[in-house]
Amino acid sequence: MRLLLLLLLAPIAIAGCGEDRESSSTDEAAIFRVVDAANASFAEGDYSRTCSYYSPAIRKELAAQTQVQTCPKAWAAIDAALRKSLTPSEFDALTSYGIESAEVEGDTATGTYGEPPESIAGLTGVGAGETIQLRQVDGRWLITSLPE
């Protein structure tokens, strides 16, 4: 279960707690939009769209770690497992947990997690200060790492 939560948090965990997203740079704002979109697509069950926010290497890694053939099937498996083990309010809290900041250096970026909501603090496997990496590819930001 902990692995599933870590996989889930790759896009979800950067979804929405930015300190002052209005004053962030254009690239930082784009990063928050990408991860918000990844979060929303997962919550809506649009796993193909969720995968589109990942680099090809991470898509393969997600499929391999969940022992399925494709990235969309990986997200479907993660969703099914989470819905079996979390209450609806815990699932909602998990899908709205986010990073506090995004730091851009050229075509790479790092998102840093804030404190998880109290209701899921023991469930996430990710704590404050941990990070996720992104890279700009052909003008588009993609998630390139799982939480570290």
Side-chain angles (χ1 to χ4, degrees), residues 1-2 4-7 9 94 97 116-117 120-127:
M1 181 53 160
R2 193 170 181 90
L4 290 177
L5 288 170
L6 284 171
L7 292 173
L9 290 172
L94 185 63
Y97 171 49
I120 61 166
L123 301 175
T124 66
V126 176

Side-chain angles (χ1 to χ4, degrees), residues 1-14 17 78 82 85-86 89-99 113-131 146-148:
M1 181 53 160
R2 193 170 181 90
L3 172 62
L4 290 177
L5 288 170
L6 284 171
L7 292 173
L8 170 68
L9 290 172
I12 305 302
I14 27 184
C17 296
I78 292 166
L82 287 172
S85 61
L86 299 177
S89 63
E90 289 171 333
F91 184 84
D92 290 344
L94 185 63
T95 59
S96 39
Y97 171 49
I99 62 166
Y113 293 90
E115 290 292 332
E118 194 172 307
S119 63
I120 61 166
L123 301 175
T124 66
V126 176
E130 293 190 45
T131 60
L146 298 176
E148 301 173 19

Side-chain angles (χ1 to χ4, degrees), residues 11-120:
I12 305 302
I14 27 184
C17 296
E19 295 171 341
D20 186 4
R21 295 166 71 167
E22 304 305 317
S23 66
S24 61
S25 75
T26 302
D27 281 330
E28 289 170 339
I31 289 164
F32 282 112
R33 280 193 305 273
V34 164
V35 296
D36 285 347
N39 181 37
S41 63
F42 175 77
E44 294 164 5
D46 188 346
Y47 311 123
S48 292
R49 188 166 50 113
T50 303
C51 293
S52 75
Y53 300 107
Y54 282 87
S55 68
I58 292 298
R59 291 178 207 168
K60 288 179 187 174
E61 185 176 339
L62 286 168
Q65 287 189 12
T66 54
Q67 300 178 348
V68 296
Q69 294 180 340
T70 66
C71 180
K73 287 182 180 180
W75 284 113
I78 292 166
D79 191 352
L82 287 172
R83 290 183 189 274
K84 285 181 185 175
S85 61
L86 299 177
T87 67
S89 63
E90 289 171 333
F91 184 84
D92 290 344
L94 185 63
T95 59
S96 39
Y97 171 49
I99 62 166
E100 288 186 339
S101 64
E103 188 174 318
V104 178
E105 291 187 33
D107 66 349
T108 62
T110 301
T112 303
Y113 293 90
E115 290 292 332
E118 194 172 307
S119 63
I120 61 166

